[in-house]
Amino acid sequence: MRYPSTIAALLAALFIGACATGHVHRADAGPVDCAVVKCVALTFDDGPSPYTDRLLRVLNDADARATFFLIGNKVAADPARAKRIADAGMEIGSHTWEHPNMTTIPAADVPAQFARANDAIASATGVTPRLWRPPGGLTDDAVNAQAAEFGLAAILWDVIPFDWINDADTAATRYMLMTQIKPGSVVLFHDTYSSTVDLVYQFLPVLKANGYHMVSVSELLGPRAAGSVYGSRDNGPPVNELHDIPAADIPALPATPSPPPMPNFPITDIAGANSGGPNNGA
Ligand code: NI
């Protein structure tokens, strides 16, 4: 049967309209009530990186929202990429200006770590962060008091699959996701690894098959008080809540370009938690 011409014209107009809205496909999963449905907040630290754009496509294709905790000096070096994260509908938080251990740098240097990151992120994206993630998950009362001055609430995590350690062994990271994610989990990833993007691409179908909605931290937790801290540096206990899906339902990895990671900047970093990866971006 044929559509009446008026309906066909309307559909054509809608189609053209959808195509004309621009090349950026936003994650418009719509509002969800995480008290009613299962939600998980995927978070990505240490970017933006050369892998971020592929991750944005992966997330948007799955109608998944996520939260990106950006390092200020990387944003300043690549503001356009940071803006694409915001344009894709993702939430943006601060991961400080240069990823130091905030609890051991001189107290006088703490405010600038917040201020410079906020300025770089706001300048690039138009969004002033309300959330921050302490580098290495390390913070204390004095640092939290400073964060409050900048209107920032700290977000740690419930699930830490060690994607930076398991870079070459995504099965190990996947095992931790399978055994630890539960409704309301905040999961820590890093979009500085091509392998992490691969893992997320192949794991989103598992989360969907388990009825999960992928939401931002703010969608999951609601407003957070400035200076507060959510979560912990530790893993939660295994819950084994997820069921796996048939291997045939997991998409094969396409041939993906693997540009080298952005070199790290000279920073006061945390041993073993280098924001440029174990080889410092080399
Ligand atoms: Ni980090």
Side-chain angles (χ1 to χ4, degrees):
M1 97 179 228
R2 295 190 59 205
Y3 289 110
S5 60
T6 51
I7 294 180
L10 179 62
L11 290 173
L14 285 172
F15 178 75
I16 292 168
C19 294
T21 54
H23 63 283
V24 177
H25 173 184
R26 293 177 64 99
D28 286 325
V32 296
D33 184 349
C34 294
V36 176
V37 300
K38 291 195 280 190
C39 292
V40 61
L42 307 181
T43 70
F44 297 91
D45 286 11
D46 294 0
S49 95
Y51 306 120
T52 304
D53 288 292
R54 182 159 68 93
L55 177 61
L56 292 175
R57 289 194 294 275
V58 165
L59 293 169
N60 277 321
D61 286 349
D63 286 326
R65 223 184 302 275
T67 303
F68 288 73
F69 291 98
L70 304 179
I71 295 179
N73 63 19
K74 290 187 177 179
V75 173
D78 194 353
R81 200 185 305 265
K83 185 171 190 306
R84 290 197 291 274
I85 301 173
D87 287 346
M90 304 299 162
E91 183 168 36
I92 292 180
S94 167
H95 202 28
T96 74
W97 170 248
E98 54 187 2
H99 204 271
N101 181 341
M102 295 287 273
T103 68
T104 56
I105 62 173
D109 294 345
V110 167
Q113 289 291 331
F114 291 125
R116 295 185 72 184
N118 275 13
D119 288 349
I121 291 169
S123 174
T125 69
V127 178
T128 299
R130 305 303 302 267
L131 306 177
W132 77 291
R133 173 159 284 153
L138 299 166
T139 188
D140 59 24
D141 289 346
V143 174
N144 294 332
Q146 286 295 332
E149 296 293 316
F150 292 88
L152 290 164
I155 302 295
L156 297 179
W157 51 80
D158 308 286
V159 176
I160 178 170
F162 298 101
D163 59 338
W164 73 97
I165 293 174
N166 298 322
D167 184 23
D169 182 9
T170 55
T173 310
R174 187 182 198 277
Y175 175 80
M176 301 191 76
L177 299 177
M178 286 298 298
T179 56
Q180 299 206 346
I181 286 177
K182 60 183 181 298
S185 286
V186 176
V187 184
L188 167 61
F189 290 112
H190 300 77
D191 55 319
T192 47
Y193 301 96
S194 184
S195 58
T196 294
V197 184
D198 291 343
L199 177 75
V200 170
Y201 176 64
Q202 295 190 311
F203 201 71
L204 287 173
V206 177
L207 290 171
K208 283 190 156 187
N210 281 269
Y212 275 84
H213 297 254
M214 281 63 74
V215 300
S216 70
V217 166
S218 289
E219 288 170 318
L220 178 69
L221 301 178
R224 304 291 304 169
S228 66
V229 180
Y230 174 85
S232 144
R233 295 190 73 209
D234 299 324
N235 285 345
V239 291
N240 295 302
E241 205 261 357
L242 298 183
H243 65 79
D244 213 337
I245 62 177
D249 292 348
I250 296 177
L253 292 173
T256 49
S258 293
M262 179 186 293
N264 210 348
F265 294 85
I267 58 176
T268 310
D269 217 318
I270 299 164
N274 192 302
S275 63
N279 299 315
N280 194 22

